Amino acid sequence: MAGKQNGDGEAESQRILRRLAAESEPGGTFVARMTGRARDHLSAADVDSSDRIEQIGTRIGRWLAAAITVAVLVGFVLFLMQRG
């Protein structure tokens, strides 16, 4: 019984170490994962693909929200630059 628990613990430890090594890899993995998530979000990959209207509406809404966010941030930076 103790041998089985020890073996399970070692397997779990190895799995955690592999995952930690993959996540802490410099540059490529983190950046690729984040750009993939952003691409999937903006292209509405999580929406039901059989409902074309919902998919198009979700894409428009998400792109519009991203554009408005960028515009507000640019406006805020310009406002701060005027005051300085």
Side-chain angles (χ1 to χ4, degrees), residues 21-34:
E23 288 179 358
S24 64
E25 196 172 295
T29 306
F30 177 74
V31 172
R33 193 170 57 241
M34 293 308 290

Side-chain angles (χ1 to χ4, degrees), residues 3-53:
K4 183 174 180 354
Q5 286 180 341
N6 192 13
D8 290 343
E10 286 180 28
E12 178 71 12
S13 297
Q14 291 298 324
R15 186 187 65 77
I16 291 171
L17 287 173
R18 281 193 303 273
R19 181 176 174 199
L20 188 64
E23 288 179 358
S24 64
E25 196 172 295
T29 306
F30 177 74
V31 172
R33 193 170 57 241
M34 293 308 290
T35 56
R37 286 181 61 191
R39 182 186 60 241
D40 289 346
H41 180 73
L42 291 174
S43 67
D46 58 334
V47 177
D48 182 20
S49 61
S50 65
D51 189 356
R52 190 73 179 146
I53 300 299

